[in-house]
Amino acid sequence: GKNMIVYNEKQKYFNLSNKYISYIMNIMDNGQIGHLYYGNKISENISVSHMFRQRGCILAPCTYRNNLDFSLELMRQEYPAYGTGDYREPAYQLRMKDGSRITNFIYKTHKIYSGKKKLEGLPATFGDEKDVTTLDIILEDSLINCQVILSYSIFEDLPVIVRSANFINMGDNDLYLERALSMSIDFFDSEYDMVQLDGAWSRERHVHIRKLEKGKQSISSSRGASSASHNPFFALKRKNTTETTGEIYGFTLIYSGNFIAQSEVDDYDVTRAMIGINPFEFEWKLKKNESFQTPEAVIVYSNSGMNGMSQTFHSLFKNHLIRSKWANKVRPILINNWEATYFDFTEESILKIAEKAKSLGIELFVLDDGWFGERNNDSTSLGDWDVNYKKLPNGIDGLATKINDLDMMFGLWFEPEMVNEISSLYEKHPEWAVSVPNRNMTYGRNQFVLDFSNDEVVEYIYNKMADILNCGKISYIKWDMNRNITEAYSKILPNNRQKEFFHRYILGVYKLYEKLTTAFPDILFESCASGGGRFDAGMLYYAPQAWTSDDTDAVERLKIQYGTSMLYPISSMGSHVSAVPNHQVSRETSLKMRGDVAYFGTFGYELDVTKMSDEEISEVKKQIEYFKNYREVIQLGDFYRLQNGENGRFAWMCISKDKSTAVVAFYKVLAQPNPSLKKICLEGLIPYGEYYCEETKETYFGDELMNFGLICETEFTGLIQEDSYKGVYHSGTDKGDFTSFVYTFKLK
């Protein structure tokens, strides 16, 4: 894999390339690193001198007295600083002992090697010697005796570059890092639209697209979590880029805390794209010989539209980020008791639900909130991870055994990062709750956040959880996190290091995940933050799936799952069929539609199966049987978005890697009067292959389905009067609001 990265000694440039992409940067005249090109693959041994060309400007501040052509204001750079002529936002900033913040990090040396190193304390992509090559560029500021190592890795089989930076203080004086982003790239022009995923609780990751304008466009979080407001992702796409054609660059951060993602268009239409830890409320003290590692940024290039970008992210995450042994395995169909019972259950009522679920074909029973301490409502007992024997006289152990005896797996809910005021933990350790001494503590969901920047707290929670998990009968954990941080302050940090709190907090969360996943490698972890409040690549490293949203309404889920699929694989999206009227929006949708939407994820149920009618029971059995037959295609195949909800119609599909089986779904939100005929063009089929559709009982050629398309069900067009007394329905298989159809195609 070594030949994926070459250094041209004569022209002083680095070329990272594989069969899809080239990423080219150079050592500029001042010793700093310039950015020349990132995009479609170009020849490895080109003369890139013409790419160095710059424009002068009479007013630009110049690095060299007699060279008007070399001004950092006009240069495209790779990891820019502020203060020596470049007035755009910098990638990093350091404060020195004398209060100055001017630095000069210049090229010292570089290393190219196969494979890639782990990032200490942080989630990151991985790969072995065969499929990934890494370049470390070592830059040094000799005045302050500090180094920054810029690391770049390229994967052999994906159009992806991953990047991070590591600051090392080798001098005698303390340094303060005030800003340390993970990546910055200066693109040649600004003819892009910015794609982002925004929302709020129960309407996470809706797609928003806006044109790049002069100045800055950014999304960020300062909640202590990546947040439901903005996902730590953005993309820059050409105006004419669609789902299947055109250029797009996608960026994400493998991090679960405060972030910023920004595009800045300067006076000369250069676009600076950057992503990293949010500099707001951040600072890091570096003593002699200490280093600071930024999280890893992922940069994807696609010239086959947004689907191309998404499939690259999906593939990277499944094969090079998710460490769990569940990464490329189909997931068990689960039932969660939460919407069936809330806090009000006994061992007996739980077993009734489990027995019924087993008879339907469900494989995993998950016991949600309410099994510990005195937890009969949400005002008490968080932090007291001891089983409530009043509800469960035989303990978790006993209940798990009974569920295992039904030949079902057993799973359990935790909220490890939180504590209630009414709890024995808070009585013993009030100082473990995040708060500022003598100030009001803001309430959120009747709970406080534990100080995970304190190792003692992490260790305590680990031991409590391990005690329960050591019974060996637990196959799955739902790790919830239901409130964001307020009054950010740690009792264990000195007063001049309080701005380290947010990053140290998330490192503590990672530390607990690391300890648990190492000690219990067979457990399937699902992360959750009131649904999708911390659905990010950092979490995926430890937990291969996340609860996509607390909103389980089939209609709302279309937008949520559509947006989430921009970068997260289908197998990472927790998706359940829940009761109607829906508990979040009070809408009624058919059991069929709820199932058809939930198929495209991990799939499971969150309702009281003991209260279902015979008709519902037989439908659920059919759903489960269908899903078991096709979950490999859905969870491990390639995913394509086909229709994005304009006119209230969504469509998407999954196709097996060998293209022999495809599952296609079409959803209509609201009925229209006297509608036109609709069709969907499929993607990814073998053009000359003959595909039999089980639902239409017809055979089609792949190219026919991709180019002409599949004509959708005939919609209802109103009553046709036969005589004045009795109306006759016009035939139409697609009647009313909230309808869905799933088609299964098999290569003959």
Side-chain angles (χ1 to χ4, degrees), residues 204-205 223-232 255-258 415-418 449 452 479-485 505-510 512-513 526-540 543 545-548 568:
E204 298 88 344
R205 289 175 302 287
R223 292 169 171 268
S226 51
S227 89
S229 319
H230 306 288
N231 201 257
Y255 189 62
S256 312
N258 293 346
E415 192 171 5
E417 299 159 68
M418 302 292 161
V449 182
F452 266 45
W479 176 324
D480 211 341
M481 190 284 288
N482 280 310
R483 69 154 285 191
N484 292 139
I485 292 169
Y505 177 88
I506 211 73
L507 291 179
V509 172
Y510 291 152
L512 181 56
Y513 257 119
E526 177 166 314
S527 69
C528 173
S530 282
R534 201 164 61 181
F535 198 132
D536 55 64
M539 284 288 136
L540 278 189
Q545 59 192 55
W547 184 223
T548 315
Y568 304 106

Side-chain angles (χ1 to χ4, degrees), residues 173-214:
N173 295 322
D174 294 346
L175 295 172
Y176 288 87
L177 201 49
E178 296 185 328
R179 179 186 184 97
L181 300 189
S182 297
M183 74 116 223
S184 177
I185 295 189
D186 292 342
F187 288 99
F188 192 84
D189 64 87
S190 62
E191 293 300 307
Y192 294 100
D193 288 335
M194 181 165 164
V195 183
Q196 57 197 65
L197 303 175
D198 316 305
W201 172 76
S202 87
R203 48 177 171 82
E204 298 88 344
R205 289 175 302 287
H206 286 201
V207 179
H208 290 121
I209 298 178
R210 49 179 167 157
K211 180 184 182 304
L212 281 195
E213 301 286 359
K214 296 277 184 182

Side-chain angles (χ1 to χ4, degrees), residues 252 313-322 537 540 567-569:
T252 194
F313 275 122
H314 297 180
S315 184
L316 178 76
F317 290 171
K318 284 202 263 199
N319 301 311
H320 299 284
L321 177 68
I322 297 173
L540 278 189
L567 70 162
Y568 304 106

Side-chain angles (χ1 to χ4, degrees), residues 302-316:
S302 164
N303 57 5
S304 53
M306 288 154 85
N307 270 320
M309 172 193 73
S310 299
Q311 287 174 359
T312 298
F313 275 122
H314 297 180
S315 184
L316 178 76

Side-chain angles (χ1 to χ4, degrees), residues 144-431:
I144 55 172
N145 206 357
C146 182
Q147 284 190 347
V148 58
I149 300 172
L150 300 181
S151 286
Y152 300 79
S153 297
I154 181 168
F155 294 84
E156 188 162 23
D157 52 351
L158 291 166
V160 171
I161 299 283
V162 293
R163 277 182 72 174
S164 69
N166 191 3
F167 291 83
I168 308 160
N169 181 7
M170 299 175 316
D172 295 325
N173 295 322
D174 294 346
L175 295 172
Y176 288 87
L177 201 49
E178 296 185 328
R179 179 186 184 97
L181 300 189
S182 297
M183 74 116 223
S184 177
I185 295 189
D186 292 342
F187 288 99
F188 192 84
D189 64 87
S190 62
E191 293 300 307
Y192 294 100
D193 288 335
M194 181 165 164
V195 183
Q196 57 197 65
L197 303 175
D198 316 305
W201 172 76
S202 87
R203 48 177 171 82
E204 298 88 344
R205 289 175 302 287
H206 286 201
V207 179
H208 290 121
I209 298 178
R210 49 179 167 157
K211 180 184 182 304
L212 281 195
E213 301 286 359
K214 296 277 184 182
K216 296 166 195 163
Q217 291 174 207
S218 68
I219 49 173
S220 64
S221 171
S222 50
R223 292 169 171 268
S226 51
S227 89
S229 319
H230 306 288
N231 201 257
F233 155 85
F234 71 109
L236 296 178
K237 75 173 191 69
R238 295 299 187 185
K239 307 263 180 293
N240 56 354
T241 296
T242 65
E243 280 289 6
T244 50
T245 62
E247 281 198 309
I248 182 167
Y249 296 88
F251 309 90
T252 194
L253 192 64
I254 304 178
Y255 189 62
S256 312
N258 293 346
F259 75 93
I260 189 165
Q262 178 169 296
S263 300
E264 177 176 4
V265 177
D266 73 6
D267 319 12
Y268 304 104
D269 292 311
V270 166
T271 301
R272 174 166 292 176
M274 37 178 47
I275 197 165
I277 293 175
N278 195 343
F280 174 69
E281 286 295 298
F282 170 83
E283 185 175 275
W284 200 269
K285 182 179 179 177
L286 283 180
K287 298 201 280 228
K288 185 178 176 132
N289 294 327
E290 285 185 343
S291 64
F292 181 82
Q293 172 64 54
T294 72
E296 191 167 78
V298 180
I299 322 167
V300 167
Y301 170 76
S302 164
N303 57 5
S304 53
M306 288 154 85
N307 270 320
M309 172 193 73
S310 299
Q311 287 174 359
T312 298
F313 275 122
H314 297 180
S315 184
L316 178 76
F317 290 171
K318 284 202 263 199
N319 301 311
H320 299 284
L321 177 68
I322 297 173
R323 285 183 312 172
S324 164
K325 54 176 57 170
W326 289 93
N328 277 307
K329 270 194 176 148
V330 294
R331 309 294 160 78
I333 298 172
L334 66 78
I335 181 139
N336 180 309
N337 69 297
W338 182 241
E339 287 195 13
T341 67
Y342 290 99
F343 292 107
D344 187 18
F345 58 82
T346 59
E347 181 181 281
E348 199 182 357
S349 70
I350 288 294
L351 284 170
K352 272 207 185 82
I353 294 176
E355 281 159 12
K356 186 70 190 174
K358 173 64 190 171
S359 74
L360 300 170
I362 292 171
E363 299 155 319
L364 163 65
F365 180 89
V366 180
L367 180 61
D368 210 286
D369 194 355
W371 56 267
F372 52 92
E374 297 291 317
R375 182 86 164 167
N376 297 312
N377 58 53
D378 68 7
S379 69
T380 170
S381 302
L382 285 177
D384 298 346
W385 301 107
D386 298 302
V387 66
N388 178 343
Y389 285 103
K390 290 192 207 100
K391 283 187 190 174
L392 304 173
N394 300 300
I396 289 295
D397 219 2
L399 175 61
T401 301
K402 290 178 183 177
I403 289 195
N404 292 162
D405 288 347
L406 295 170
D407 196 24
M408 286 180 94
M409 295 193 274
F410 179 72
L412 199 54
W413 179 95
F414 281 95
E415 192 171 5
E417 299 159 68
M418 302 292 161
V419 65
N420 286 118
E421 198 171 9
I422 308 166
S423 66
S424 53
L425 180 61
Y426 189 78
E427 262 170 53
K428 281 205 289 281
H429 288 290
E431 78 284 1

Side-chain angles (χ1 to χ4, degrees), residues 37 62 322 325 570:
Y37 175 80
C62 296
I322 297 173
K325 54 176 57 170
I570 297 303

